[in-house]
Amino acid sequence: MDHEAGTILIVDDEQNILNSLKRRFFGSKVRVLTACGAAEALKIMSENSVDLILSDYKMPDVNGIQLLTQIKEKYPNTFRAILSGYVETDAITHAIGKGIAMAYYKKPWNEYNLPEKLIHIISTMHRIKDKELITIFSRLEKLPSLPEIYIRLDKAIENGAPVDTITGILKEDVSLTAKIMQIGNSVFYGGKEYSSLEQTVLMIGLNAVREIVLIYKMTENTLCSVNDSKLSAIFSKGLILNKGIDFCLRQTGQEYNKSIASTAGLLSCIGEIILLCFRQERYEQTLAAAAQHSCSFSEAEMLLNIKTDLSTHITGYFLDLYNMPFGTIEIMLYQNNPEEASSENRIIAAALCAVSKITAAIENGIEIDSSLLETCGKELISHDAALKTAEMLKEILPERK
């Protein structure tokens, strides 16, 4: 890499915008390349190692989404972001949902520091593209790919399919249907009795159902010889975190991305599942340390001074592999240091941090006192919000046993 912080390619058909953006990176350690259109951008990509491409949406001949579609196919490891001053929200939302674009920024950028955000993205993505982490996974066989039923379900949800179409997909898998019904009728979602899958799906929420399918099928398809009860315990923990994060964020009164927040708890458990299935000794060592110190799994990893195969980094690695939005990846990576996350995702990372700490304390019989509450969410979650969340979690945690 020629520059310490990486290389960015900016694509826009207006030269004055390219010049203006490039000037804003002056003094940074980033190399900035520019292109006036798709053809020039593809040529530059073929000749350079580019960490991030930022393309304008509205361009003649080939628009930004069409360009990023080609970039995704030819250079899948390059982060793809879209820039637009036009109200093309449907097209851009669709592109992000399909993993074509991984982030979206609005013109004009006077109200926020765009270069700072792009440099932050590169720094964050370098964590999950660490050579040692990639080497570890390249040596493993039968790593879980995206389940086929998840891909179909994701497409149906993104296309706004009616609930009977979505439940029709789910009903093709009897064990999955039973699992969703079990979750819907559990204490996680109020303990009410729902007689139909349609009612259950609407009550849980489409986004949450989609990620339940992902985690459930991942555990089913790993083909590893582990105790089913341990996989179930991780899955249940993810549901508890989901419930706690949603409750905690509502207590803060702050604005946040509800789509990302609704599944943060479940998705945060992917790293633990991978460790349990493929690095069992490491998993058991961390689990024992978490019990000994009455802390969360990721906190135990920090106590053990684990640097490379952190569960948070593994989660980020797979979410990137599955083309999840950058916001989701960022929250996973910064859950123990939410103050380092970008402003739009900081409060969700803080809620994940707080709920993880509170859950670990309750499970280990630790009193929820002022000193513990003050550490929750790194001062981003108020004492009152953390206390109310703790009271709610106390009511549902016994159901896991």
Side-chain angles (χ1 to χ4, degrees):
M1 186 181 293
D2 294 330
H3 290 65
E4 184 180 332
T7 300
I8 291 175
L9 171 59
I10 304 172
V11 189
D12 199 298
D13 60 312
E14 297 183 43
Q15 188 62 50
N16 63 321
I17 289 178
L18 292 176
N19 293 339
S20 174
L21 260 177
K22 189 170 184 176
R23 282 195 300 269
R24 287 176 173 262
F25 284 91
F26 182 76
S28 74
K29 296 180 180 180
V30 169
R31 178 170 64 146
V32 179
L33 307 174
T34 61
C36 287
E40 186 180 359
L42 290 169
K43 183 176 185 298
I44 290 173
M45 289 290 298
S46 69
E47 298 170 346
N48 296 271
S49 176
V50 176
D51 294 283
L52 184 150
I53 179 170
L54 174 69
S55 176
D56 185 34
Y57 173 77
K58 198 77 169 180
M59 297 189 297
D61 299 326
V62 177
N63 68 38
I65 291 175
Q66 292 169 328
L67 169 60
L68 294 187
T69 301
Q70 295 182 59
I71 297 297
K72 178 184 177 182
E73 182 178 340
K74 295 180 178 180
Y75 310 99
N77 290 327
T78 297
F79 190 95
R80 304 171 298 278
I82 197 85
L83 181 68
S84 178
Y86 294 81
V87 185
E88 302 284 355
T89 53
D90 289 345
I92 291 172
T93 299
H94 178 76
I96 291 176
K98 305 310 290 181
I100 296 168
M102 303 166 78
Y104 162 53
Y105 297 102
K106 294 180 180 180
K107 289 181 179 177
W109 50 83
N110 299 332
E111 296 181 1
Y112 62 97
N113 190 330
L114 180 57
E116 183 180 87
K117 289 183 178 292
L118 299 181
I119 292 171
H120 172 73
I121 286 175
I122 293 176
S123 172
T124 300
M125 297 307 289
H126 280 174
R127 292 191 180 199
I128 60 173
K129 296 184 186 294
D130 178 84
K131 289 182 180 179
E132 289 186 43
L133 187 63
I134 292 172
T135 299
I136 289 170
F137 287 120
S138 67
R139 293 172 180 165
L140 300 177
E141 297 180 358
K142 299 177 181 177
L143 283 174
S145 58
L146 269 181
E148 187 270 339
I149 193 170
Y150 174 87
I151 295 171
R152 290 170 56 209
L153 184 67
D154 179 59
K155 184 177 181 180
I157 292 173
E158 291 296 330
N159 290 337
V163 69
D164 59 336
T165 299
I166 291 167
T167 54
I169 296 171
L170 296 173
K171 287 175 181 177
E172 294 175 16
D173 188 316
V174 176
S175 64
L176 178 60
T177 299
K179 188 67 177 178
I180 291 172
M181 289 296 294
Q182 178 190 8
I183 292 168
N185 291 324
S186 72
V187 71
F188 301 128
Y189 293 94
K192 297 179 181 179
E193 291 292 332
Y194 292 93
S195 58
S196 72
L197 182 61
E198 288 77 11
Q199 285 180 314
T200 305
V201 166
L202 289 173
M203 184 273 304
I204 294 176
L206 295 180
N207 288 332
V209 167
R210 176 169 52 189
E211 308 317 342
I212 287 171
V213 170
L214 173 62
I215 302 297
Y216 181 76
K217 299 303 288 186
M218 272 187 68
T219 60
E220 186 179 76
N221 296 336
T222 49
L223 302 177
C224 54
S225 55
V226 297
N227 190 314
D228 284 345
S229 65
K230 292 183 179 180
L231 280 172
S232 296
I234 297 175
F235 190 87
S236 295
K237 185 179 84 169
L239 291 170
I240 286 171
L241 292 177
N242 255 20
K243 185 76 172 178
I245 290 167
D246 173 67
F247 184 90
C248 182
L249 287 171
R250 284 190 280 112
Q251 305 314 305
T252 67
Q254 297 187 40
E255 292 186 2
Y256 59 93
N257 187 320
K258 291 181 174 59
S259 176
I260 290 178
S262 66
T263 58
L266 268 171
L267 294 178
S268 72
C269 294
I270 288 177
E272 290 182 48
I273 291 171
I274 298 300
L275 284 172
L276 173 61
C277 291
F278 299 101
R279 297 174 74 83
Q280 291 184 35
E281 185 176 341
R282 202 339 230 115
Y283 172 82
E284 296 294 350
Q285 176 195 23
T286 308
L287 197 65
Q292 179 184 351
H293 296 282
S294 301
C295 64
S296 69
F297 191 91
S298 59
E299 287 178 303
E301 290 178 316
M302 295 170 67
L303 290 173
L304 292 170
N305 201 31
I306 294 169
K307 299 293 186 184
T308 301
D309 57 341
L310 287 163
S311 62
T312 52
H313 289 195
I314 295 171
T315 298
Y317 176 91
F318 276 89
L319 292 179
D320 178 52
L321 197 65
Y322 296 160
N323 287 313
M324 294 290 184
F326 172 73
T328 301
I329 297 171
E330 181 185 26
I331 289 163
M332 301 301 123
L333 291 178
Y334 293 112
Q335 60 182 276
N336 289 318
N337 303 99
E339 69 278 6
E340 296 180 17
S342 58
S343 57
E344 58 267 31
N345 295 314
R346 195 170 297 149
I347 190 64
I348 303 176
L352 175 55
C353 175
V355 174
S356 297
K357 284 176 176 286
I358 293 169
T359 299
I362 295 172
E363 288 182 322
N364 287 284
I366 302 298
E367 184 181 353
I368 308 297
D369 57 16
S370 297
S371 60
L372 187 146
L373 292 173
E374 286 171 3
T375 67
C376 290
K378 303 287 185 175
E379 299 182 353
L380 296 168
I381 302 295
S382 71
H383 184 287
D384 183 59
L387 180 59
K388 289 180 179 177
T389 302
E391 291 171 350
M392 184 278 293
L393 288 170
K394 285 179 182 178
E395 295 179 3
I396 66 171
L397 275 167
E399 293 292 323
R400 284 183 63 190
K401 298 177 181 178

